[in-house]
Amino acid sequence: GENVEQHPSTLSVQEGDSAVIKCTYSDSASNYFPWYKQELGKRPQLIIDIRSNVGEKKDQRIAVTLNKTAKHFSLHITETQPEDSAVYFCAAYGNQFYFGTGTSLTVIP
Amino acid sequence: GAVVSQHPSRVICKSGTSVKIECRSLDFQATTMFWYRQFPKQSLMLMATSNEGSKATYEQGVEKDKFLINHASLTLSTLTVTSAHPEDSSFYICSARSGQGHGELFFGEGSRLTVL
């Protein structure tokens, strides 16, 4: 089955700086890679996703890149704000969703 | 985006009792729903895949007699924790995949179960 690894597990940045979270996957058949943001005690919310036929996607301060050859994809958050503080999960989908272990992001004001 | 509603959001029960959690897709039909368990500061652990009109598919290590799943309609799946014990205390989240757009996965609000 698929194996999704996510790094780092915790990340602290100063407000205004950029944050990068990286994930790798093992199954070359995976073709859809969403990223979720989960605030404490709340449901995961889809923030951005990318499909295997695209290398990069951007939505305002958030961007995702995908390297199919290396089987890794990354989340980039620019100009971070305190409200970006949350746990972020990557996922890979082939025939079902497999989640990374999560990254706890803290943005220091 | 699509809406998935989960109820109850919090439940406290005595050891030995059973608890039912509902997951509804409010504005789309979901032939498949997923149930996850999440421990504090950890990732989502897939428990089972709920299939409308057929038996659920359980992940390895998940007791099917302990966690009963019923997917009786295209908009409702239920998870029943039978004979609950304190170690079953956890955050349970359901999700469903929308058939529209790119088939994104949407999550319910989650249910915090505390077994005394």
Side-chain angles (χ1 to χ4, degrees), chain A residues 39-94:
Chain A
E39 297 177 4
L40 188 63
K42 296 187 177 181
R43 78 179 90 193
Q45 298 270 17
L46 178 69
I47 55 171
I48 197 168
D49 56 12
I50 193 167
R51 297 194 171 267
S52 58
N53 59 346
V54 177
E56 183 174 358
K57 184 177 179 180
K58 189 174 182 180
D59 182 5
Q60 299 182 353
R61 297 187 296 110
I62 296 173
V64 58
T65 59
L66 171 65
N67 184 325
K68 284 178 58 180
T69 303
K71 296 194 186 68
H72 65 72
F73 55 113
S74 301
L75 176 71
H76 303 253
I77 306 174
T78 58
E79 301 172 28
T80 53
Q81 302 167 3
E83 51 265 39
D84 294 331
S85 298
V87 177
Y88 292 81
F89 293 99
C90 64
Y93 179 83

Side-chain angles (χ1 to χ4, degrees), chain A residues 89-103:
Chain A
F89 293 99
C90 64
Y93 179 83
N95 58 355
Q96 66 171 291
F97 285 89
Y98 293 90
F99 288 87
T101 48
T103 297

